[in-house]
């Protein structure tokens, strides 16, 4: 049995200015990769959905995935999706992102795990990159880019 893919995902968002940044670090069979991105004119839910959809997008559907995050917005997504499927709280915005995330959450073996962004952890590394992406989104607008391999060596994975 192979080890699950581990992903540490964090977001940074400013509600008043509607700017968001996200970053993730992925460990898959010993290989570490990651990406960061951001956008202007995005609410917290949209930033969390975009981050989660991007973090699991390129993985094969049969892979077991552990998604670690300290973000309450990301941790709320599975419950919000359950409520939407039950018909109690259907989403009215970000419908395409909700569809992507719903597909990702239906994959067998995906588990969302609360994490701590303690110093030296992959969550802290992802938080720092999410903050950097947030700052870049202020001036550049929407973007996504891989985190350089040299930086990923310091991710704490």
């Amino acid at each position: 049995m192979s080890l699950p893919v581990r992903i540490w995902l964090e977001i940074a968002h400013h509600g008043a200015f509607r700017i968001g940044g996200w970053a993730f670090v992925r460990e898959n069979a010993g290989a570490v990769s990651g990406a960061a991105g951001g956008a202007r004119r995005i609410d917290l839910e949209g930033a969390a959905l975009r981050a989660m959809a991007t973090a699991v997008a390129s993985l094969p559907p049969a892979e077991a995935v552990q998604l670690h995050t300290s973000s309450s917005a990301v941790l709320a997504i599975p419950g919000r999706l359950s409520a939407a499927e039950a018909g109690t709280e259907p989403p009215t915005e970000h419908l395409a992102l909700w569809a992507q995330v719903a597909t990702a959450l239906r994959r067998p073996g995906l588990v969302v795990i609360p994490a701590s962004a303690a110093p030296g952890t992959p969550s802290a590394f992802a938080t720092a990159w999410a903050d950097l992406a947030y700052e870049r989104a202020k001036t550049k607008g929407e973007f996504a880019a891989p985190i350089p391999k040299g930086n990923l060596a310091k991710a704490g994975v």
Side-chain angles (χ1 to χ4, degrees):
M1 185 166 115
S2 64
L3 294 174
V5 175
R6 295 183 304 163
I7 300 172
W8 292 269
L9 172 66
E10 300 298 340
I11 61 172
H13 185 265
H14 193 292
F17 296 116
R18 294 179 53 89
I19 299 171
W22 53 264
F24 70 87
V25 175
R26 183 185 311 156
E27 190 268 327
N28 187 0
V32 179
S33 61
R40 288 187 288 203
R41 293 180 287 285
I42 192 165
D43 61 9
L44 179 59
E45 182 177 80
L49 289 167
R50 185 169 298 172
M52 183 179 265
T54 304
V56 299
S58 63
L59 295 174
E63 291 277 353
V65 177
Q66 293 178 349
L67 181 73
H68 303 264
T69 186
S70 64
S71 167
S72 59
V74 175
L75 289 169
I77 289 173
R80 177 92 161 84
L81 184 62
S82 295
E85 289 174 344
T88 57
E89 289 183 48
T92 57
E93 294 183 88
H94 314 296
L95 299 180
L97 288 172
W98 272 112
Q100 288 177 328
V101 169
T103 300
L105 288 174
R106 284 190 193 103
R107 65 188 300 143
L110 183 119
V111 181
V112 180
I113 302 169
S116 168
T121 64
S123 286
F125 180 85
T127 298
W129 274 90
D131 290 341
L132 183 65
Y134 164 84
E135 291 296 328
R136 182 171 180 199
K138 282 182 183 178
T139 58
K140 301 287 184 189
E142 189 169 341
F143 79 98
I147 297 173
K149 293 282 186 199
N151 293 88
L152 286 168
K154 302 171 189 165
V157 176

